[in-house]
Amino acid sequence: MSGTTELDTTKAYLVPVAHLELTGEPDLTHLALYTWVERIGLWATEAGICGRTTEQGPLPAGTEVTCLGCLNRKPVYEQLLYSHNNRHQLEAEARRQQAFAEDTPENGAWHTVWLEGNWSWVTKKMTTAAQREYAADRVAAYSRYLATCDGDLDREEPDGLRWWREAGR
Ligand SMILES: [Zn+2]
């Protein structure tokens, strides 16, 4: 965590920190969260993850951590940091997984009807509004799957898919 490392201010890091220079303070190296503090516009370390107050600022990366309390909590903190630091990637991955689950024969079949058939005629022939919505849901789901394959996570529903909801039709 030296000055040469490019830190991302939206992320948090786990760094070695020195114990306070106080008599009776155990001679240990602790681990602390290192985060960007927006209010003061600086990077700062928090207390040791064992709960002990520590010196401000990280020790050089690779400094051996000797506090057992910190070492015991390290795996949990690493897990939390991973989730925190990769929140966006994890959310995108979850959306991707969900979209791939929508690659079903039924969704694909309805999507072909939408694409190749006369959609408004077919859906007008349906008996209930619920049936039309169901068919449109299947098309929309398959369309999300196709958008995900294209890497386009913000693509909206195809225009005119639910023509019955649009005004003036
Ligand atoms: Zn500690």
Side-chain angles (χ1 to χ4, degrees):
M1 243 17 96
S2 66
T4 54
T5 317
E6 198 60 40
L7 298 179
D8 180 341
T9 56
T10 66
K11 296 187 176 182
Y13 302 87
L14 213 46
V15 296
V17 283
H19 63 83
L20 291 177
E21 293 292 338
L22 292 176
T23 345
E25 184 69 22
D27 182 17
L28 296 169
T29 300
H30 302 271
L31 267 177
L33 287 174
Y34 192 41
T35 55
W36 177 256
V37 185
E38 197 67 61
R39 188 169 47 80
I40 53 172
L42 284 174
W43 284 91
T45 50
E46 298 178 5
I49 59 175
C50 62
R52 270 197 126 77
T53 307
T54 55
E55 287 290 322
Q56 181 52 243
L59 293 169
T63 305
E64 195 195 349
V65 176
T66 50
C67 168
L68 277 181
C70 284
L71 289 172
N72 285 338
R73 288 174 177 81
K74 191 180 173 195
V76 172
Y77 273 81
E78 282 175 336
Q79 195 68 43
L80 287 171
L81 279 188
Y82 180 80
S83 314
H84 172 81
N85 291 345
N86 299 285
R87 201 166 59 243
H88 299 298
Q89 287 96 313
L90 292 171
E91 279 168 9
E93 180 55 24
R95 274 207 306 274
R96 222 171 63 86
Q97 295 287 344
Q98 196 184 348
F100 276 105
E102 293 177 320
D103 175 22
T104 65
E106 188 188 16
N107 291 347
W110 275 113
H111 192 264
T112 303
V113 172
W114 150 260
L115 207 59
E116 309 291 346
N118 185 334
W119 183 249
S120 65
W121 185 82
V122 169
T123 47
K124 255 178 215 149
K125 296 289 173 195
M126 291 178 182
T127 317
T128 65
Q131 291 174 2
R132 289 197 304 222
E133 291 288 349
Y134 180 84
D137 285 345
R138 305 280 62 79
V139 175
Y142 200 76
S143 173
R144 277 196 297 276
Y145 159 69
L146 292 179
T148 303
C149 291
D150 294 344
D152 179 4
L153 295 173
D154 298 321
R155 191 184 298 172
E156 303 210 337
E157 270 191 15
D159 276 345
L161 178 63
R162 300 178 206 262
W163 55 266
W164 53 90
R165 287 191 194 174
E166 291 161 26
R169 299 288 287 256

